[in-house]
Amino acid sequence: MNAPVLLVIAHGSRDPRHARTVHALVERVRSQRPGLRVETGFLDFNVPSVQGVLESLAAEGVRDVVALPLLLTRAFHAKADIPAVLRAAPARLRIRQAEVLGPSPLLLTALERRLYEAGLSPADKSSTGVVLASAGSSDPEAIAVIADIAREWWHTGWCAVRPAFASARLPRTEDAVRELRALGCARVAVAPYVLAPGFLPDRIARGAAGADVLGDVLGPAPEVARLLLRRYDAASRPALQALGA
């Protein structure tokens, strides 16, 4: 019996770096689980579209699909856009929507990986203030999650961790950098809590001009790929049980 197909649903962007990063992440997922069929669909700007992938899968005779939102918080896209697209899918498909990626300890590990790759070392933690810079959202639940992640991350040993947002909410990245300077942190690092490059990540980077270290986007970090598979496994378990696996 076949395991459900994993359909990774990305937002999409006019910035070509976005799709390249999404595809690199999907390739890492495939490398971590050979034999699992993984497809990619975009909500906007890029092809293939989510609807197009679903129609192709149905035409091939696929029955079970796990749709995994490539999102870090449960905001509008996870609550409204993606469910609407999945409801319009061909009726023969049995689709389960997996949980969004965040929050997860694996994402904190990936954030630290990016900061260490940018020049920090574990010995720097206690003297370094970190800006947890996310895209931002008008959804209060999503904003509260970012604040919780910042508090949790601070308890792992950083001098301080402050959330910042590229849109919709304040403070901006540059404001949080100044706040950490005023707190007396010996150095300030900006950790973009985003998955792929684009307009808002570029705004985060500009706001990090006054910081000592700027981490890269999470992208195809191995921890992110591992987390995708965990979300897939949790969503696909009921389907496999129904098949008698």
Side-chain angles (χ1 to χ4, degrees):
M1 64 189 66
N2 295 324
V5 172
L6 169 55
L7 171 59
V8 176
I9 300 179
H11 183 274
S13 171
R14 292 186 178 91
D15 189 324
R17 297 173 299 166
H18 177 92
R20 285 200 299 268
T21 303
V22 170
H23 290 310
L25 173 58
V26 168
E27 283 304 314
R28 188 174 285 271
V29 171
R30 291 188 179 116
S31 72
Q32 289 191 6
R33 187 161 307 172
L36 173 64
R37 182 172 179 180
V38 187
E39 301 290 343
T40 308
F42 295 90
L43 290 172
D44 207 352
F45 302 117
N46 302 104
V47 293
S49 68
V50 177
Q51 187 65 28
V53 174
L54 291 170
E55 289 173 357
S56 294
L57 291 173
E60 288 180 35
V62 170
R63 292 299 304 276
D64 291 292
V65 176
V66 168
L68 197 159
L70 200 59
L71 300 169
L72 296 173
T73 58
R74 270 186 53 77
F76 181 79
H77 293 303
K79 295 177 179 178
D81 283 356
I82 291 175
V85 172
L86 298 181
R87 284 195 297 270
R92 67 167 285 114
L93 293 176
R94 293 187 293 249
I95 303 174
R96 288 175 170 81
Q97 182 176 329
E99 291 295 326
V100 297
L101 299 180
S104 168
L106 282 171
L107 292 174
L108 294 183
T109 302
L111 286 167
E112 293 198 0
R113 170 189 292 275
R114 293 304 190 219
L115 291 180
Y116 297 150
E117 290 169 349
L120 289 181
S121 74
D124 297 323
K125 285 188 77 166
S126 63
S127 58
T128 301
V130 179
V131 179
L132 179 67
S134 73
S137 173
S138 58
D139 188 304
E141 178 187 348
I143 296 302
V145 166
I146 298 300
D148 288 343
I149 293 169
R151 283 191 293 271
E152 178 183 349
W153 203 15
W154 170 57
H155 287 303
T156 68
W158 296 100
C159 174
V161 180
R162 294 290 185 271
F165 308 97
S167 67
R169 295 294 179 105
L170 297 174
R172 295 286 182 256
T173 302
E174 53 269 33
D175 301 326
V177 169
R178 284 192 292 267
E179 181 185 352
L180 291 171
R181 291 279 187 217
L183 280 175
C185 297
R187 65 187 61 78
V188 175
V190 174
Y193 190 62
V194 293
L195 286 164
F199 176 75
L200 293 179
D202 283 350
R203 181 179 287 177
I204 289 171
R206 290 192 298 272
D212 301 294
V213 173
L214 170 63
D216 198 358
V217 299
L218 293 169
E223 296 85 0
V224 179
R226 201 175 313 141
L227 181 56
L228 261 71
L229 289 170
R230 285 191 185 180
R231 296 290 188 253
Y232 166 82
D233 288 340
S236 62
R237 202 166 293 125
L240 293 173
Q241 290 171 347
L243 291 169

